Amino acid sequence: MTGAPGELVLADHRGPVLVLTFNRPAKPNAWTDELEDRYFALLDAAEDDPDVRAVVVTGAGRGFCAGADLQLLQGAGEVSAADRARRRPRDVPRTLRKPLIAAINGVATGLGTVEALYCDIRFGSPSARFTTAFAQRGLIAEYGISWLLPRLVGHSRAADLLLSSRMVDAQEALRVGLLDHLVPAGSVVDAAVAYAADLAGRCSPASMATIKSRLSNDADGTYADSVTLAEGLMLQAFRGSDVVEGVASHLDKRPPNFPSLPVRSSDVPV
């Protein structure tokens, strides 16, 4: 048993920030299909909830996510391609238009490391640790990590971390770029929430959604293409209400009042 679906990922609304907590502490939050379904469903709900402007994800207990539950992988050699077919892509978190911030409170292993890399920004406590683990399990660089990791830490460091599967502590993680912020023990979730709340209060949701999209899509394009596309997007921004509000609030020395994102089914472009 992996727990009731509603208990596998907990949701806690803290003002405009939704905190999602992987909740299998006895198994250091090892990943299961049921946990994934619950996590993705909560991200879907957050996507079109106008009261949610940023999401923080963390783990219960002493770990962030220990990767796939190995007890469930014992019969993996007998699994067919059809059995492995998923209802949804594994990288659903990367499609969230709102900021997704990891609060890494302990070890992130294999798929747990991938889930951390799917986030836009990573906060870590001194007990945060990372290992890719795949090579030590007879697996390959799964779920896009061979694309994500070199873009964060460089090719040779990515090769080192993937080939060796060695454990990286919080200090090294900060130094090489796996972590963006290292905060004192016991405060990682609060620090991530405070950061997310600041984004929610001061930044345009539409601007952040566009920036996230460009960061992802421009990674495979040329500099010239990025500049050209930015020119068109800048003209769209000038015609929108967020620029008017952003400038006015700055000149008036008051917090901005930006509208929420339109729902994804809307015809309103973002």
Side-chain angles (χ1 to χ4, degrees):
M1 295 291 292
T2 59
E7 299 173 352
L8 292 173
V9 184
L10 304 179
D12 177 23
H13 290 265
R14 302 193 190 183
V17 180
L18 176 65
V19 179
L20 300 180
T21 303
F22 302 142
N23 189 39
R24 297 187 71 207
K27 293 272 192 177
N29 306 311
W31 201 265
T32 66
D33 288 346
E34 294 81 8
L35 185 149
E36 178 178 295
D37 289 342
R38 170 71 172 162
Y39 180 42
F40 288 2
L42 289 168
L43 289 178
D44 277 344
E47 174 67 52
D48 287 329
D49 185 342
D51 294 328
V52 174
R53 297 213 169 182
V55 178
V56 169
V57 59
T58 191
R62 297 180 294 106
F64 178 73
C65 176
D69 191 324
L70 294 182
Q71 289 187 333
L72 302 179
L73 290 182
Q74 293 183 74
E78 301 172 3
V79 174
S80 68
D83 292 331
R84 291 299 301 159
R86 307 199 56 75
R87 294 188 299 277
R88 306 181 63 185
R90 177 53 55 69
D91 63 351
V92 163
R94 292 192 72 238
T95 69
L96 186 71
R97 293 178 297 167
K98 302 173 182 182
L100 181 60
I101 299 162
I104 301 166
N105 54 309
V107 69
T109 301
L111 178 55
T113 293
V114 176
E115 290 299 329
L117 298 188
Y118 285 161
C119 296
D120 300 304
I121 298 153
R122 285 162 294 282
F123 282 70
S125 72
S127 59
R129 293 177 295 153
F130 297 85
T131 173
T132 60
F134 298 120
Q136 292 182 353
R137 305 288 182 265
L139 298 168
I140 53 91
E142 297 178 339
Y143 310 121
I145 194 173
S146 58
W147 188 93
L148 292 165
L149 195 56
R151 285 164 170 77
L152 282 174
V153 304
H155 178 90
S156 60
R157 281 201 179 110
D160 167 32
L161 298 179
L162 286 166
L163 293 174
S164 71
S165 294
R166 66 182 180 84
M167 190 70 73
V168 175
D169 65 18
Q171 288 290 344
E172 182 180 2
L174 179 68
R175 178 172 59 81
V176 304
L178 288 173
L179 285 178
D180 302 296
H181 302 272
L182 182 58
V183 299
S187 63
V188 66
V189 173
D190 289 342
V193 169
Y195 179 90
D198 187 59
L199 296 183
R202 299 195 305 116
C203 300
S204 157
S207 292
M208 291 191 292
T210 301
I211 288 167
K212 284 190 58 167
S213 174
R214 295 320 325 144
L215 283 171
S216 178
N217 294 328
D218 284 358
D220 291 326
T222 66
Y223 171 76
D225 289 341
S226 178
V227 169
T228 299
L229 183 56
E231 289 289 339
L233 292 172
M234 186 166 61
L235 289 175
Q236 290 181 28
F238 281 144
R239 298 188 185 109
S241 61
D242 280 17
V243 169
V244 174
E245 174 60 14
V247 172
S249 62
H250 177 74
L251 295 176
D252 295 343
K253 296 181 169 52
R254 59 171 174 81
N257 183 24
F258 293 119
S260 300
L261 287 173
V263 298
R264 281 182 292 188
S265 58
S266 171
D267 292 330
V268 179
V270 176

